[in-house]
Amino acid sequence: MTNATPTSIEKEDDFGFGTQIRKSPYFDATVRWGAKGFSVYNHMYIPRDFGDPVQNFWNLVNDAILCDVAAERQVEITGPDAAKFMQTLTPRDLSEMAVGQCKYVLITNQDGGILNDPILLRLAENHFWISLADTDILLWAQGVAVHAGMDVSIGEPDVSPLQLQGPKSGEVMKKLFGESIMDLRYYWLRELELDGIPLIVSRTGWSSELGYELYLRDGTRGDELWEKIMAAGESFGLKPGHTSTIRRIEGGMLSYHADADINTNPYEIGMDRLVNLDMDADFIGKAALKRIRDNGVSRKEVGLRIEMAPLKKPNTRFWPLTKDGKTVGKVTSAVYSPRLDQNIALAMVATELSEIGTTLEIPSESGPVKAIVVEKPFFDPKKQKATSS
Amino acid sequence: MTNATPTSIEKEDDFGFGTQIRKSPYFDATVRWGAKGFSVYNHMYIPRDFGDPVQNFWNLVNDAILCDVAAERQVEITGPDAAKFMQTLTPRDLSEMAVGQCKYVLITNQDGGILNDPILLRLAENHFWISLADTDILLWAQGVAVHAGMDVSIGEPDVSPLQLQGPKSGEVMKKLFGESIMDLRYYWLRELELDGIPLIVSRTGWSSELGYELYLRDGTRGDELWEKIMAAGESFGLKPGHTSTIRRIEGGMLSYHADADINTNPYEIGMDRLVNLDMDADFIGKAALKRIRDNGVSRKEVGLRIEMAPLKKPNTRFWPLTKDGKTVGKVTSAVYSPRLDQNIALAMVATELSEIGTTLEIPSESGPVKAIVVEKPFFDPKKQKATSS
């Protein structure tokens, strides 16, 4: 990384425990703009606190926010066999994926377990970026390649994404890139420059709102890019922010490690549409996923409404779910939605208890709390906010 | 994980942003015993602050400390081809590795880049644990296995290590396990129970002091194990603590991501002894490492003495190293050692400037700071503290 500055040796308030966790090219900018707390994602700090998460939610759903998601590292796959190799990594059929298109995909291991749920970007016929959730898919892909007998190169390019999300994000983008950006369709990408700063821009994001991701291709220019976007957004109410747990649960979007992990398969999370067992390609996990499809799954991800006083913050442990005193699942992500005035959650429960309307319980010190299986997403079920512009 | 408790739903001061980062089986115990700050390592919280890092250092070098290192996740390799497969993962010759032995190894990719520097434990002829630094080697190993054509199983067992380190650690172990534990030699392991709690105990650690690691094999019993050890250690001055940056830099020990990464090879860090190019086994990276050995390396890891006022905390950025105004390397880990009364550091510099006595400079706002290449380790060069008992 190129973040070393002559002055840092004398900074006393420098954040962090050492150099083992990377700082994003936007790190200093986010601190300057009010970041108060960071989590760690793909071995990199990610801002998770700009004061009030509820205000961050309203900023996102009413106007727009800019989020440092450089921690969504890219795995770059190139070489003559890149497309063929990429198809072995995912159960989703990529044969119709055009150059310039993005796809939400799952990466599975030989047991059909989910290793990551990234956005895949196709930059050229044999040029892909896997825009990662929080696991080292770089190592997975390089490991698979060792004995695969295919001609591919796999590495981590100097690419650091930002997310610009919210109903006003289109206006901000128009100001930055001109009217033509309005032609960029949902889940497509474009190569652009902003005053000479090299970018890939896509209409994607982790918010269920209209939104864009800007993939910076030169880490030395992070500060400059951040400031240009904030300046362009000022008149539209753009605020610095972080990915919103409230909005993503409202949208029924998964957070890897929380709602899915290596022991979760695509059918359990209702992602059947991301698994194409009929294609010829022999992707990793195909046999296992066929067995799972044929045998059915014993647990399923559901939406829950939790009937108690508003949660003060998301759960940080997997709460047990019970029925008649027996453990039948776990709450994976819970939060209070101020818009819905409800505690909403994603949970993994026994299949026979996954029907809408089923009443379950969460044990607590003051007695069981009622949790009712409900439809998800909780808000904007047709995802119209993200897909229309 | 089994950390869900009936009361947690009502806890307002619960630590963390959500469930995406795991809590160790010792998490509650460390909070109870004074942990004030956590980092994230292998997707899990790891305590990094019990108040004063200098006091933690003195506790370690004078008495003993107990550290939650459950974040050092284990990759378990079993099956008829486990030994053969394990040898493909590391350039270190394992042919003489006995059952019951541990080895410090490097895991390299096809370019000879370092993916991890774990401790390897051999529990049986075809049963290994890779005790990880901070990368998803579980995914690497599973990835390599996809097309390897070997009969192996690779997973993450329910194992959570603790480190008991310091000159008094032997006394604490004797009180816990009886006199016979004194026969456990440096880098060997033993299967033991403590009041029915299943453990693997090894004489290893990340401190350069006498020390032990206790690998808990049942995550539900973390709290119980922690309390038993603390009780046994009370009369010997045992304190809760965290791995000491001061002591590990004094000992010249690497921290992955800080001092080495995927773009670092074993020769650059002076780990030639961990690479056996003459064995028959065709481990991953062998051809690349042969080329690197034959061609030599352009940069080397060195020890530095930095001549300035005592650093208040470790560097959190890679400081540039210059010679005659030209950048010639970077400081990877720097800290003030109260015992040596010096600022000491590990750094990567151009090979021609790696000689002991070379004077380099670190640019700073108030002018260049002098950094002199010195012998490492900085303390106890023969590692007598860790190896003798």
Side-chain angles (χ1 to χ4, degrees):
Chain A
M1 298 305 293
T2 51
N3 292 324
T5 62
T7 58
S8 59
I9 192 168
E10 283 152 339
K11 264 171 111 174
E12 285 174 34
D13 56 348
D14 215 352
F15 181 89
F17 299 105
T19 48
Q20 69 272 25
I21 299 168
R22 293 162 70 176
K23 289 179 173 170
S24 109
Y26 314 112
F27 183 85
D28 291 338
T30 62
V31 172
R32 211 165 50 234
W33 282 82
K36 289 178 190 352
F38 292 80
S39 187
V40 176
Y41 196 97
N42 282 325
H43 316 290
M44 189 175 262
Y45 293 111
I46 183 170
R48 292 292 293 138
D49 179 3
F50 274 86
D52 178 4
V54 173
Q55 185 57 50
N56 178 69
F57 167 79
W58 291 122
N59 294 341
L60 165 63
V61 302
N62 291 331
D63 301 309
I65 58 174
L66 183 64
C67 309
D68 171 6
V69 293
E72 293 173 5
R73 304 309 301 166
Q74 310 304 300
V75 174
E76 182 168 70
I77 302 185
T78 57
D81 293 327
K84 192 176 159 203
F85 181 78
M86 188 60 231
Q87 182 64 84
T88 70
L89 295 186
T90 179
R92 185 157 190 186
D93 186 353
L94 305 179
S95 60
E96 307 278 302
M97 185 178 189
V99 171
Q101 213 176 351
C102 310
K103 278 189 187 290
Y104 178 57
V105 301
L106 300 176
I107 293 181
T108 50
N109 68 8
Q110 289 205 283
D111 301 324
I114 299 169
L115 304 183
N116 206 285
D117 65 328
I119 303 282
L120 180 65
L121 295 85
R122 186 170 207 165
L123 287 91
E125 189 60 26
N126 277 309
H127 188 182
F128 294 87
W129 286 352
I130 310 173
S131 191
L132 293 183
D134 182 20
T135 56
D136 296 329
I137 293 302
L138 176 62
L139 302 194
W140 168 255
Q142 287 193 347
V144 170
V146 169
H147 302 294
M150 292 192 218
D151 189 356
V152 287
S153 292
I154 303 163
E156 186 191 288
D158 174 11
V159 173
S160 302
L162 284 172
Q163 290 204 12
L164 176 65
Q165 305 278 305
K168 307 278 179 64
S169 61
E171 295 301 311
V172 181
M173 290 296 283
K174 210 161 30 175
K175 191 155 170 191
L176 286 167
F177 298 103
E179 187 68 34
S180 66
I181 197 70
M182 292 295 97
D183 305 336
L184 183 62
R185 283 181 292 154
Y186 188 55
Y187 267 72
W188 286 77
L189 65 85
R190 192 171 291 177
E191 192 170 340
L192 288 170
E193 281 202 354
L194 185 65
D195 300 336
I197 304 174
L199 298 169
I200 294 289
V201 171
S202 65
R203 222 179 100 204
T204 53
W206 198 63
S207 74
S208 296
E209 296 288 333
L210 172 67
Y212 297 84
E213 287 181 277
L214 296 92
Y215 297 76
L216 171 63
R217 304 179 85 170
D218 176 354
T220 65
R221 305 189 72 174
D223 216 87
E224 196 185 345
L225 177 62
W226 178 280
E227 292 298 341
K228 278 182 197 294
I229 300 169
M230 289 308 299
E234 195 180 357
S235 55
F236 304 104
L238 177 64
K239 295 285 184 307
H242 58 83
T243 55
S244 171
T245 301
I246 302 170
R247 186 63 187 93
R248 75 100 181 159
I249 297 177
E250 279 187 354
M253 304 179 89
L254 300 184
S255 172
Y256 192 76
H257 292 302
D259 307 299
D261 62 23
I262 193 171
N263 298 310
T264 311
N265 69 59
Y267 296 103
E268 290 172 330
I269 57 170
M271 292 286 184
D272 309 36
R273 73 182 177 90
L274 302 183
V275 180
N276 298 69
L277 293 171
D278 300 329
M279 63 176 158
D280 288 337
D282 189 23
F283 58 85
I284 298 166
K286 192 174 190 180
L289 289 168
K290 267 193 179 149
R291 272 196 307 277
I292 293 166
R293 181 197 58 184
D294 294 347
N295 297 340
V297 294
S298 62
R299 54 178 198 165
K300 275 195 169 166
E301 204 218 41
V302 298
L304 288 182
R305 193 176 69 235
I306 302 177
E307 302 204 326
M308 63 179 292
L311 290 166
K312 294 198 172 60
K313 54 182 299 190
N315 59 319
T316 66
R317 308 189 187 233
F318 297 100
W319 295 334
L321 276 167
T322 62
K323 180 81 182 176
D324 306 326
K326 213 184 117 215
T327 299
V328 295
K330 61 180 179 181
V331 177
T332 56
S333 296
V335 77
Y336 171 71
S337 161
R339 166 156 62 182
L340 303 171
D341 189 20
Q342 281 177 3
N343 295 308
I344 58 176
L346 301 176
M348 192 65 86
V349 302
T351 304
E352 65 274 20
L353 295 167
S354 62
E355 294 283 304
I356 306 297
T358 307
T359 301
L360 304 168
E361 289 174 343
I362 304 169
S364 90
E365 262 190 350
S366 54
V369 171
K370 218 194 257 188
I372 299 154
V373 178
V374 295
E375 295 273 9
K376 66 179 169 58
F378 298 87
F379 189 82
D380 187 27
K382 288 185 175 157
K383 232 182 171 179
Q384 286 174 335
K385 290 186 165 280
T387 52
S388 61
S389 59
Chain B
M1 298 305 294
T2 52
N3 292 323
T5 61
T7 58
S8 59
I9 194 169
E10 284 153 338
K11 266 173 109 172
E12 286 176 31
D13 57 348
D14 215 352
F15 181 88
F17 299 105
T19 48
Q20 69 272 27
I21 299 169
R22 293 161 72 176
K23 289 180 174 171
S24 110
Y26 315 112
F27 182 85
D28 290 338
T30 62
V31 172
R32 211 163 52 233
W33 282 82
K36 288 177 192 351
F38 293 80
S39 186
V40 176
Y41 196 98
N42 282 325
H43 316 290
M44 186 175 265
Y45 293 111
I46 182 169
R48 292 291 294 140
D49 180 2
F50 274 87
D52 178 4
V54 172
Q55 185 58 51
N56 178 69
F57 167 78
W58 292 122
N59 294 342
L60 165 63
V61 302
N62 291 331
D63 301 309
I65 59 174
L66 184 64
C67 309
D68 171 6
V69 292
E72 293 173 5
R73 304 309 301 166
Q74 311 302 299
V75 175
E76 182 167 69
I77 302 184
T78 55
D81 293 326
K84 191 177 159 203
F85 181 78
M86 187 61 232
Q87 182 64 83
T88 71
L89 295 186
T90 179
R92 186 160 190 187
D93 186 353
L94 304 178
S95 59
E96 306 279 302
M97 185 179 189
V99 172
Q101 215 177 349
C102 310
K103 279 190 188 288
Y104 178 58
V105 302
L106 299 176
I107 293 180
T108 50
N109 69 7
Q110 288 206 282
D111 301 323
I114 300 170
L115 303 183
N116 206 285
D117 64 329
I119 303 282
L120 179 65
L121 295 85
R122 186 170 206 163
L123 288 91
E125 190 59 27
N126 276 309
H127 187 182
F128 294 86
W129 286 351
I130 309 174
S131 189
L132 293 184
D134 181 21
T135 55
D136 296 329
I137 294 300
L138 176 63
L139 302 194
W140 168 255
Q142 286 192 348
V144 171
V146 169
H147 302 295
M150 292 193 220
D151 189 355
V152 287
S153 294
I154 302 164
E156 185 190 287
D158 175 10
V159 173
S160 303
L162 284 172
Q163 290 204 11
L164 177 66
Q165 304 278 305
K168 307 278 179 63
S169 62
E171 295 300 312
V172 181
M173 290 297 283
K174 210 159 32 173
K175 192 155 171 189
L176 286 166
F177 298 103
E179 187 67 33
S180 65
I181 197 70
M182 293 294 97
D183 305 336
L184 184 62
R185 284 180 291 153
Y186 188 54
Y187 268 71
W188 286 77
L189 66 85
R190 193 172 289 176
E191 193 170 339
L192 288 170
E193 283 201 351
L194 186 66
D195 301 336
I197 303 175
L199 299 169
I200 294 289
V201 171
S202 65
R203 222 179 100 205
T204 54
W206 199 62
S207 75
S208 296
E209 297 287 332
L210 173 67
Y212 297 84
E213 287 182 276
L214 295 93
Y215 297 78
L216 171 63
R217 304 179 83 170
D218 177 355
T220 64
R221 305 188 72 175
D223 216 87
E224 196 184 345
L225 177 63
W226 177 279
E227 293 298 341
K228 278 182 196 293
I229 300 169
M230 289 309 298
E234 194 181 358
S235 56
F236 303 106
L238 177 65
K239 296 285 184 307
H242 57 84
T243 55
S244 171
T245 302
I246 303 170
R247 186 64 188 93
R248 76 99 181 160
I249 297 178
E250 278 188 354
M253 304 178 89
L254 301 183
S255 172
Y256 192 76
H257 292 302
D259 307 299
D261 62 23
I262 194 171
N263 298 311
T264 311
N265 69 60
Y267 296 103
E268 290 172 330
I269 58 169
M271 291 285 185
D272 309 35
R273 73 182 178 88
L274 301 184
V275 180
N276 298 68
L277 293 170
D278 300 328
M279 62 175 161
D280 288 338
D282 189 24
F283 56 86
I284 298 166
K286 193 174 189 179
L289 289 169
K290 266 192 180 150
R291 273 196 307 277
I292 293 165
R293 181 198 57 184
D294 295 346
N295 297 340
V297 293
S298 62
R299 55 178 198 164
K300 274 194 170 166
E301 203 218 42
V302 298
L304 289 181
R305 194 175 71 234
I306 302 177
E307 301 204 326
M308 63 178 292
L311 290 166
K312 294 196 173 62
K313 54 182 299 191
N315 58 320
T316 66
R317 307 189 186 231
F318 296 99
W319 296 335
L321 275 167
T322 62
K323 180 81 179 175
D324 305 327
K326 213 185 115 211
T327 298
V328 294
K330 61 180 179 179
V331 177
T332 55
S333 295
V335 77
Y336 172 70
S337 161
R339 166 155 66 182
L340 303 171
D341 189 20
Q342 283 176 2
N343 295 307
I344 59 176
L346 301 176
M348 193 66 87
V349 302
T351 304
E352 64 274 18
L353 294 168
S354 62
E355 294 282 304
I356 306 298
T358 306
T359 300
L360 303 169
E361 289 176 342
I362 305 169
S364 91
E365 263 191 350
S366 54
V369 170
K370 219 195 257 188
I372 299 156
V373 177
V374 296
E375 294 273 9
K376 67 180 168 58
F378 298 87
F379 189 80
D380 187 26
K382 289 183 175 159
K383 231 182 173 181
Q384 287 174 335
K385 288 185 168 280
T387 53
S388 62
S389 60

